[in-house]
Amino acid sequence: MPVSPDMAEDLAAAVSSLYEQTELALIEKVTKALGEGLDSPLWAELKLAAIGNLRTAIEEIIAVLQVDSAGAIHQALAEAYERGQQAAVAELGALAVGPALAAAEALPAAAAVDRLAAALVAETGPVHARILRTGLDVYRQVIAEATSAPLLGATTRRQAAARALQRFADRGVTGFVDNRGRAWNLTSYTEMATRSALGRAAVQAHTDRLAAAGIELVVVSDAPEECPRCKPWEGKVLRREGPSGAGVVELEHATEDDRVVRVRVAGSLPEARAAGLLHPNCRHSVSIYLPGVTRPRPKPPSRATYEQTQKQRYLERQIRAWKRRAAGAVDEQQRTRANARVREYQGRVRELVAETGLPRKSRREQVGSAR
Ligand SMILES: [Zn+2]
C-alpha cells in the first residue's frame, strides 16, 4: 500500500480540537469577565482590580491543555507511524520478490515516535505563553477602549466593549507565523503543525521500512485531486534517499539476479519533499518501484477538484470563525445571530459533501462547548 500524508492527517483533529476548545474557552472567559457589571459606573475600576482572577482562570486552562495536548500528540504520532509502517509491510508482502520477502515484520517504532513527538511538542510549546498574554492584553485593551471617551454613557460603553470583543473573537489568538511567512491563529497554526508532523511520520515510517528491506527506488502516484506544487513529480521515479537531481540508477533486476537494469530517476524523495511533494493536504502517494515488476498504477477516480477541496476548507474556516464570534458575544441577540451563521455554513458544507463525495472532516468544525 502506497504511503500518503493523507492517510494520517485525520488524526490531527484529536490535537487541534483541544486547541480550538481552549481558544473558545479563552474568548468566553474574557467576554464573561468583562460583560459582568458592564452597566455599573464603577465597571472599569472593578475590572482592572479583578485582572488577577482572569489570570488564574487562564493559567488553569493552559495547564490542562499542556497535559492533554502532549498526550494527544504522542498518541496521534504513534498511530501515524504505525499506519505508514503497515502500508510498507503490506506493499512489501504483495511484492514477494527479492529483498522484500525478508521484510514482513514491523520495526520497533518507539524511538522514532518519541523523537517526532518531542519535536512537535517543542514546536507547539510557545503557543501556551501567547494564550495567556493575549487574554490579558485583550482584557486591558477592551477596558481602555470602552472608557476612552469621558462622556460615554452606559449604552455606548456596552457597544464599545462589544465591538472590541467581537474584533478579538474574529481573529482569535493570533501572532503565529510559519516558515513561509504566512500568519495563522492558534487553532489553524496547531492544526497545520500537527497535520504536517503526522503526514511526515507516516511517510518516514514507510521509508524506514523500505530502507530496512533494501528498496532503493520509489514512484510518485498520479493523484486524483492534483495540487500545483506536486505536478512536476507526478508519475516520476525517485531515489529513496541519496543525491538530488535527475540521473540514472543502476540496480540488479528484481526477478533475474544476473541482470543489471538502468532506471532514469527525477531526483531523490527528500529533494522532492523539500520542494513541496507530500505537503499537508497532499493527495499524492509514494510506493515501491521495482524495475520490471512495478506497473503504472491507474489514476484513482477523482472525488472532487482541487478547487472544491479548497472551498470546503474555506467553509470550515467560516464555521470556526462564527463559533468564535458566538463565544465573544456580549448580548444574547448577537450570540443567536452568530450561531445561526454557524448552522448556515454547516449546511453549506453538507451540500458540498453531498455534491462531491468529499469526506466531511467534521472534527475540524465541531467543538464541544468549551469551559
Ligand atoms: Zn501535493
Side-chain angles (χ1 to χ4, degrees):
M1 188 184 171
V3 72
S4 166
D6 195 49
M7 76 189 325
E9 288 178 350
D10 61 304
L11 299 165
V15 177
S16 65
S17 71
L18 294 174
Y19 283 86
E20 187 171 17
Q21 285 173 41
T22 300
E23 191 168 44
L24 290 176
L26 177 74
I27 294 168
E28 270 179 5
K29 281 261 187 285
V30 172
T31 303
K32 227 170 163 180
L34 289 167
E36 275 163 6
L38 196 49
D39 302 323
S40 152
L42 293 173
W43 177 76
E45 288 82 352
L46 289 171
K47 293 302 146 184
L48 285 172
I51 194 163
N53 299 344
L54 180 69
R55 173 185 279 274
T56 309
I58 300 175
E59 279 169 347
E60 279 166 12
I61 297 175
I62 294 171
V64 172
L65 174 67
Q66 264 165 340
V67 174
D68 289 355
S69 64
I73 281 172
H74 198 279
Q75 202 180 337
L77 280 168
E79 173 66 23
Y81 197 90
E82 177 62 20
R83 287 185 189 176
Q85 183 147 229
Q86 286 309 323
V89 168
E91 218 183 325
L92 289 164
L95 286 175
V97 283
L101 273 179
E105 275 169 52
L107 295 168
V113 171
D114 285 349
R115 220 170 25 247
L116 291 161
L120 183 54
V121 167
E123 198 180 338
T124 52
V127 308
H128 299 136
R130 186 171 281 277
I131 293 170
L132 177 62
R133 208 173 69 210
T134 302
L136 297 178
D137 283 354
V138 167
Y139 184 86
R140 283 196 205 93
Q141 202 182 320
V142 173
I143 297 171
E145 269 184 51
T147 52
S148 58
L151 293 175
L152 282 182
T155 315
T156 32
R157 187 170 68 204
R158 173 173 281 274
Q159 283 166 349
R163 256 202 315 276
L165 282 166
Q166 282 292 288
R167 225 170 38 234
F168 167 43
D170 273 351
R171 293 189 311 254
V173 178
T174 55
F176 305 102
V177 178
D178 67 12
N179 51 18
R180 292 168 68 199
R182 292 170 304 183
W184 305 78
N185 78 2
L186 173 69
T187 306
S188 60
Y189 175 78
T190 47
E191 181 177 40
M192 179 273 297
T194 307
R195 286 173 72 83
S196 19
L198 290 166
R200 279 198 305 271
V203 175
Q204 192 192 315
H206 187 263
T207 310
D208 289 352
R209 203 72 207 78
L210 264 44
I215 299 288
E216 288 176 57
L217 300 177
V218 295
V219 59
V220 181
S221 69
D222 207 357
E225 287 134 63
E226 195 170 274
C227 21
R229 285 162 76 193
C230 297
K231 202 165 170 38
W233 305 103
E234 277 204 325
K236 297 280 164 49
V237 176
L238 302 171
R239 296 182 188 90
R240 181 180 45 75
E241 57 178 16
S244 7
V248 171
V249 171
E250 288 192 346
L251 68 175
E252 283 180 7
H253 196 280
T255 50
E256 297 162 57
D257 292 332
D258 52 347
R259 231 179 77 205
V260 168
V261 287
R262 298 161 72 81
V263 181
R264 181 150 286 285
V265 297
S268 73
L269 181 58
E271 174 191 8
R273 291 178 70 193
L277 180 70
L278 304 178
H279 54 86
N281 301 320
C282 187
R283 306 263 309 131
H284 285 87
S285 65
V286 161
S287 53
I288 295 170
Y289 183 81
L290 284 183
V293 176
T294 304
R295 299 270 163 266
R297 279 184 286 146
K299 190 170 179 151
S302 176
R303 293 186 302 196
T305 63
Y306 181 70
E307 284 70 27
Q308 283 169 325
T309 62
Q310 293 305 298
K311 181 169 181 204
Q312 188 180 358
R313 296 293 98 82
Y314 164 79
L315 295 173
E316 286 163 356
R317 282 197 299 276
Q318 294 302 311
I319 292 170
R320 284 181 166 175
W322 284 103
K323 281 185 174 170
R324 288 199 307 272
R325 280 174 217 181
V330 176
D331 61 74
E332 207 46 55
Q333 199 189 359
Q334 212 181 359
R335 185 166 21 251
T336 307
R337 258 202 320 265
N339 281 328
R341 298 302 297 273
V342 169
R343 285 192 297 275
E344 181 196 322
Y345 278 107
Q346 284 171 335
R348 288 177 61 183
V349 169
R350 275 195 298 274
E351 278 168 30
L352 185 69
V353 166
E355 200 180 297
T356 60
L358 280 167
R360 181 174 181 191
K361 310 224 167 140
S362 58
R363 290 288 299 275
R364 264 171 200 279
E365 318 142 17
Q366 285 168 10
V367 168
S369 82
R371 282 296 138 257

